[in-house]
Amino acid sequence: MIPPLIIDSNERGRLVEAIERRAKSRVPRIDVARQHLVNGDYKCGDWLIESKSVADLIQSKFSGHLNKQLDNMDANNGNYGLVVHGSIKEYVKGVNERAVIYNKQGTSASAALKLVAGICARIVADFGCLLYRADKIDEVAAFMVALHEKTYK
């Protein structure tokens, strides 16, 4: 029997639900446990994973918070990585809706894609960590459950 996939006790939302569904559907079933994690949002086997939506990725990169999180994982853990979920198209739609409300400049899909790709490339170059990005929550959940499974096979 493999140890459970750990979800930080503070994590909430659709990704948590998708991971729980995916883990329960596996044969043999993968147990999921909640526990306080000092670093990261998930522990998938030997991997500590930080999770960000596209909007969170951009905001936390510019605020410096993401680099601090990755530095902490790098200093204190072995294998670590970042998963990024969400559609560039939906991100752009949200930015442009807020731009109209607050009379600010919006963005284009190509500019947002270039920004996200650049941030992801910089993270891999600077930290050498795992990075996975997908538009859909279920794709990210499938990756994380597979990562957990493969650690023990």
Side-chain angles (χ1 to χ4, degrees):
M1 182 103 178
I2 66 174
L5 187 155
I6 306 296
I7 300 174
D8 183 71
S9 53
N10 293 320
E11 278 298 292
R12 304 280 182 268
R14 292 180 30 226
L15 181 56
V16 169
E17 295 163 6
I19 289 170
E20 290 172 337
R21 268 193 318 275
R22 183 75 179 198
K24 289 175 186 172
S25 73
R26 304 301 298 154
V27 177
R29 178 186 167 141
I30 295 174
D31 290 327
V32 174
R34 293 294 204 135
Q35 122 185 9
H36 173 71
L37 295 173
V38 175
N39 293 310
D41 299 321
Y42 302 89
K43 189 161 190 314
C44 302
D46 293 336
W47 291 86
L48 204 58
I49 304 294
E50 182 66 32
S51 170
K52 299 285 184 200
S53 68
V54 170
D56 289 341
L57 173 76
I58 293 167
Q59 188 277 326
S60 64
K61 181 64 176 167
F62 285 121
S63 73
H65 183 66
L66 178 59
N67 280 14
K68 289 176 188 168
Q69 289 175 303
L70 294 171
D71 278 335
N72 285 338
M73 287 195 293
D74 187 29
N76 296 299
N77 302 93
N79 298 324
Y80 69 100
L82 174 68
V83 295
V84 180
H85 55 86
S87 158
I88 298 288
K89 181 179 176 182
E90 290 300 315
Y91 168 75
V92 168
K93 180 180 174 189
V95 166
N96 290 338
E97 286 172 354
R98 287 187 300 280
V100 169
I101 293 168
Y102 297 108
N103 199 28
K104 302 272 183 177
Q105 184 174 347
T107 192
S108 67
S110 62
L113 179 58
K114 182 178 178 183
L115 177 61
V116 170
I119 290 171
C120 290
R122 181 82 268 154
I123 288 167
V124 172
D126 288 350
F127 293 95
C129 65
L130 173 148
L131 193 143
Y132 180 83
R133 190 185 104 62
D135 284 354
K136 296 182 176 146
I137 291 279
D138 288 338
E139 294 169 351
V140 173
F143 170 76
M144 291 173 67
V145 170
L147 179 63
H148 185 76
E149 275 183 309
K150 300 300 181 200
T151 300
Y152 299 105
K153 283 191 176 180

